[in-house]
Amino acid sequence: MKKEIIIALLILLISLFGCSDDEKKVSYDSEPFQVITEDDVTADSYSVLLDDSYVFFSFSDTSCMFYRRYFDGSLIEIGTIENYVFSLDAYTLRENNLYVWITTAASQEAVLMYDEYINVLYCIDTDTNQLCEVYSESTCLPGAYIASIDSYIVTRQSIRTDDNYLITYLELLNPETGEIEKSSEPFYLNDNTNVGVYMINMCADDNLIYALVDERLEDGTNSPIIYVYNDDLEVTDEINMDSVSEYILSSRVGDMCVWGNCIYMGNYYLEAFVGVIEDGSIKCLLQGESLEAAIQYDTDCDPLFFVRGSNVFYDFDSSSNSLKEIELELDGDYKISNVMIESDNVLVDLTYYATDYDDAKPDRIYRVSRDSLEKVS
């Protein structure tokens, strides 16, 4: 998949969500919000929020650059990756090291027409701001999903055979040695007939791996399920998808997250849901267009959601398995485009929705404490 597709998927849409009775309002243009920057360095992908800064990358036609923006406004360039052609905008943080798969090639045509590319697992050491290569291969298809558990980097890999079967499986990589140590039993999908079994996506939480797997039958029906794997890649549990499958599988699921019993999925039609896992099934709490999960790696705090292109947050409360709506009072044409959380820090990226290209303005980046965002009235 070309990076233009990813860019297209990130086009901001205005949400149709209404307001709930327990809605809270807060103005971003006053305390407790701290202005970080309004400069012209474009963050094409946000990576991680740290206690004193955040990491993002910006790409050109042939390269991508990783940056670190500190809360005092200073900016450093961590490193540049040449011959960049594609990344899924998916990261994982393990022991202060940020990992991401990036596909490099001479050109996009080399990937699409000649299958000439290299998939590289990169690591950014957030203690030293060093970028290094951990592992590379050119057998699997570009676009590997990534997560981490205690000892491993987890990757959902896919391979296309000469007779057009799509093979999907999980792989555990030891980041200390840069070697693949374990692989799961593979699933096979006949891509000519769309019959077989396909692992669509996966994520990890609390040393468990959650894999969305879809069995596609000859009569055109399908049977999706979530398999829960342990760190030996053994299936230990299953989660029924019946309550949400028709809605979320109208398009390929590109985002999937689990935090305890809270689950989120979003597809390439920008449809998404937030739910809770109860008795081996999913209870949907909220669904709608442009609903996204804030980027977070801290499993000790509850997840936060937002509607891209709006002024609305949804704060998940794990004690009651409920969502609280929070509404920012935004002036002009600025809307929420990205959110990251780390412990009590929330980073909010506001994008200006210009009706005329000549009226475009740079994004505004703000930091606010999670506690202030939740309690303000």
Side-chain angles (χ1 to χ4, degrees), residues 22-90:
D22 58 354
E23 168 190 316
K24 302 293 182 181
K25 294 185 178 181
V26 55
S27 172
Y28 75 98
D29 207 22
S30 60
E31 292 291 342
F33 280 76
Q34 174 195 355
V35 179
I36 305 300
T37 180
E38 295 184 40
D39 63 19
D40 58 356
V41 179
T42 302
D44 292 308
S45 172
Y46 286 90
S47 306
V48 62
L49 177 62
L50 304 167
D51 58 356
D52 62 349
S53 57
Y54 61 96
V55 177
F56 66 94
F57 90 77
S58 179
F59 57 78
S60 65
D61 290 340
T62 59
S63 64
C64 69
M65 293 71 70
F66 282 95
Y67 294 93
R68 185 167 182 172
R69 167 73 68 186
Y70 289 87
F71 294 150
D72 63 6
S74 60
L75 179 72
I76 65 169
E77 183 176 335
I78 296 174
T80 299
I81 298 172
E82 300 294 344
N83 299 320
Y84 165 87
V85 293
F86 179 73
S87 174
L88 258 187
D89 192 19

Side-chain angles (χ1 to χ4, degrees), residues 102-270:
I102 289 179
T103 299
T104 62
S107 65
Q108 292 187 28
E109 289 73 21
V111 178
L112 298 173
M113 298 178 63
Y114 305 107
D115 288 334
E116 295 177 354
Y117 57 85
I118 302 175
N119 297 316
V120 185
L121 180 64
Y122 284 98
C123 171
I124 295 174
D125 186 331
T126 62
D127 291 328
T128 63
N129 291 329
Q130 297 296 309
L131 174 69
C132 67
E133 180 179 323
V134 177
Y135 176 80
S136 64
E137 58 81 29
S138 55
T139 301
C140 298
L141 296 174
Y145 291 100
I146 189 171
S148 57
I149 55 178
D150 284 352
S151 302
Y152 299 105
I153 302 300
V154 187
T155 301
R156 191 235 56 177
Q157 294 285 23
S158 56
I159 296 174
R160 188 179 301 280
T161 66
D162 291 339
D163 51 357
N164 212 25
Y165 272 82
L166 194 57
I167 304 172
T168 48
Y169 58 96
L170 296 173
E171 206 169 58
L172 300 185
L173 182 142
N174 185 328
E176 307 302 327
T177 64
E179 296 180 353
I180 304 299
E181 294 196 358
K182 300 177 184 178
S183 297
S184 69
E185 290 293 323
F187 298 102
Y188 296 86
L189 177 71
N190 186 330
D191 220 14
N192 294 316
T193 62
N194 198 34
V195 174
V197 185
Y198 178 64
M199 184 184 293
I200 301 174
N201 205 326
M202 69 89 196
C203 63
D205 178 65
D206 195 23
N207 221 36
L208 294 173
I209 305 164
Y210 296 79
L212 175 59
V213 176
D214 191 27
E215 181 178 7
R216 301 171 184 178
L217 308 177
E218 292 182 357
D219 62 3
T221 60
N222 65 311
S223 179
I225 195 168
I226 297 174
Y227 288 124
V228 183
Y229 292 82
N230 61 20
D231 57 4
D232 287 321
L233 295 182
E234 300 168 332
V235 176
T236 62
D237 204 356
E238 299 177 359
I239 301 171
N240 187 288
M241 286 281 295
D242 288 350
S243 62
V244 293
S245 61
E246 184 175 356
Y247 174 76
I248 200 63
L249 292 180
S250 61
S251 176
R252 178 171 171 172
V253 174
D255 294 301
M256 177 179 176
C257 303
V258 172
W259 309 265
N261 70 332
C262 181
I263 185 169
Y264 166 85
M265 288 187 191
N267 66 25
Y268 283 178
Y269 284 169
L270 300 183

